Amino acid sequence: MGRPRSFDDDLVLSRAMEEFWTHGYAGTSPARLAEATGIAKGSLYNAFSSKRALFDQCLDLYHRRVIETAEYWMARPGTARECISAALKAVVDGDLAQAQRRGCLVGNTAVELAGEDAGMSEKLRRMQDESTSWFAERIRRGQVEGDVPHDRDAQALAEHVANTLAGLRVMAMTHEAPALHRIIDTALTVL
């Protein structure tokens, strides 16, 4: 029988996620993970089995946080355009407020690993499709409530918004709020 863990899994995952988000999968060494989490490499890998398994759990944690944020913004009162605009601006402003601008962990991982790892590509696609579905649901609600024209394809509009968000996360690494907010305002004229 193994010894019980002497650390909080959620805290360790959060710290490891920050390292992967900042340095990428390849750039995050076992030594860096051990230092960031305060857990010896052997204990870390005994608990999470491998760097890849730890990374997968970190992506899941990141995605759960994205889900919480999306649920908050999509449920707010207002038109579909107002809710989606507020959500996009909150994400961009959050990116700009970071000490080191690092974009989106899902997007960064897609750039780094998706072309080399079919399993990772599928995982990231599911996460991206879920994000698109939140926009589609809010747009459909806007159609029911009368603030989005009924003749618009909600799925196509949601894909446009999701693509805009992905680009904004990259541009937030090098641009400032006024330019990014203008892009949001322009992109949402389709609603």
Side-chain angles (χ1 to χ4, degrees):
M1 180 185 331
R3 291 188 324 207
R5 291 186 187 173
S6 60
F7 55 85
D8 177 344
D9 281 5
D10 290 337
L11 180 61
V12 169
L13 283 173
S14 184
R15 289 177 177 172
M17 181 193 73
E18 293 294 328
E19 289 301 306
F20 285 124
W21 192 2
T22 300
H23 303 288
Y25 179 75
T28 302
S29 68
R32 187 183 296 269
L33 287 167
E35 182 179 338
T37 62
I39 308 294
K41 286 186 279 189
S43 296
L44 195 60
Y45 287 123
N46 282 337
F48 296 99
S49 78
S50 69
K51 177 181 169 181
R52 174 56 187 268
L54 175 60
F55 183 65
D56 282 343
Q57 289 187 46
C58 290
L59 272 175
D60 293 340
L61 172 63
Y62 181 87
H63 190 60
R64 283 192 304 274
R65 291 180 179 177
V66 169
I67 290 168
E68 291 169 5
T69 300
E71 287 174 348
Y72 171 80
W73 288 105
M74 295 302 107
R76 291 177 55 103
T79 66
R81 184 175 180 173
E82 290 167 346
C83 290
I84 293 170
S85 176
L88 297 181
K89 288 176 181 175
V91 170
V92 164
D93 292 345
D95 284 350
L96 296 175
Q98 294 177 7
Q100 178 181 349
R101 296 181 188 184
R102 43 193 183 166
C104 172
L105 180 59
V106 171
N108 296 347
T109 303
V111 170
E112 182 180 7
L113 299 177
E116 301 173 13
D117 183 326
M120 181 60 71
S121 294
E122 181 56 33
K123 180 180 184 114
L124 296 171
R125 184 180 312 112
R126 282 192 311 270
M127 289 177 173
Q128 293 165 332
D129 288 349
E130 185 175 354
S131 296
T132 302
S133 73
W134 303 318
F135 294 130
E137 288 173 21
R138 185 61 188 90
I139 291 165
R140 286 186 193 99
R141 183 176 134 202
Q143 289 174 319
V144 168
E145 294 173 355
D147 59 79
V148 176
H150 291 281
D151 64 343
R152 304 278 170 85
D153 181 336
Q155 182 63 31
L157 291 172
E159 290 164 350
H160 167 71
V161 172
N163 188 60
T164 300
L165 178 57
L168 286 164
R169 302 297 304 270
V170 173
M171 289 188 71
M173 293 183 196
T174 57
H175 289 74
E176 301 304 324
L180 300 170
H181 287 200
R182 278 193 307 273
I183 292 167
I184 292 167
D185 293 342
T186 301
L188 296 184
T189 60
V190 299
L191 296 179

